[in-house]
Amino acid sequence: MKRPTHKELSKKLREAQSCAEEDRIMLMNPASLAADALNMGYMMDDLSKVLHDVLDEIRPENYVGMSPPQRSYEQEINGADLFPFRWKSLIVKCLAYLKFAISSQTLWLISFHPNRKAPF
C-alpha cells in the first residue's frame, strides 16, 4: 500500500491540530522559526493559535513529501515520519510550507515559512 494514505494524512493533521490546541509543541530550530514567524507577521507567543488555524486550512492533498514519508534523523525525534505540506494560506497570507512530526503525543515543528521553492 502506498504511504501516506489520505486517511493517514487526515489523522496526522488532526493530531497536529490537537497538539497545537493543547500547546504540546516543540520547536526543532527555534531561532529560524522565530525569524520566519516575524517574516509572516506573527509573534512566537501566538504560535499555538497560528498553528491551530493554519492546520485547519491544510488538506491531505497539500502533502508534498515522499512516499513513504521521510524519517527524521534528529536525535529528539529519530525515526519519526516527517509530514511536509504546501498550501495557499489565508492566515499567513502567502504560499506557505510547513513540516512537522508527531512524537510522544507532541507536535514537533520543523519548518514553517513562506514557500521558498517554485511550487511546481
Side-chain angles (χ1 to χ4, degrees):
M1 177 188 335
K2 186 178 175 190
R3 283 195 59 230
T5 63
H6 190 277
K7 183 177 180 178
E8 179 181 6
L9 291 169
S10 294
K11 182 179 182 231
K12 288 297 176 186
L13 287 166
R14 282 192 307 275
E15 283 181 63
Q17 194 170 34
S18 176
C19 289
E21 192 171 283
E22 297 169 11
D23 205 23
R24 291 182 282 122
I25 303 168
M26 295 295 290
L27 308 178
M28 192 53 67
N29 185 342
S32 177
L33 289 164
D36 289 328
L38 289 173
N39 189 32
M40 288 193 291
Y42 71 91
M43 303 297 290
M44 288 302 285
D45 291 345
D46 301 322
L47 180 62
S48 293
K49 169 79 170 112
V50 171
L51 278 177
H52 181 271
D53 291 346
V54 299
L55 286 163
D56 196 40
E57 293 182 316
I58 300 172
R59 300 290 171 252
E61 297 79 20
N62 301 130
Y63 179 75
V64 293
M66 304 187 73
S67 180
Q70 263 187 306
R71 293 185 178 256
S72 175
Y73 293 103
E74 297 287 343
Q75 181 179 357
E76 299 88 344
I77 55 171
N78 190 26
D81 287 340
L82 301 175
F83 294 94
F85 296 87
R86 181 178 47 234
W87 78 107
K88 186 173 170 109
S89 175
L90 299 175
I91 304 299
V92 293
K93 298 174 180 52
C94 67
L95 183 62
Y97 177 86
L98 179 129
K99 184 182 343 181
F100 68 85
I102 303 285
S103 181
S104 302
Q105 298 180 337
T106 300
L107 169 64
W108 284 83
L109 186 59
I110 297 153
S111 299
F112 180 36
H113 53 74
N115 189 59
R116 295 184 179 131
K117 295 181 181 174
F120 303 102

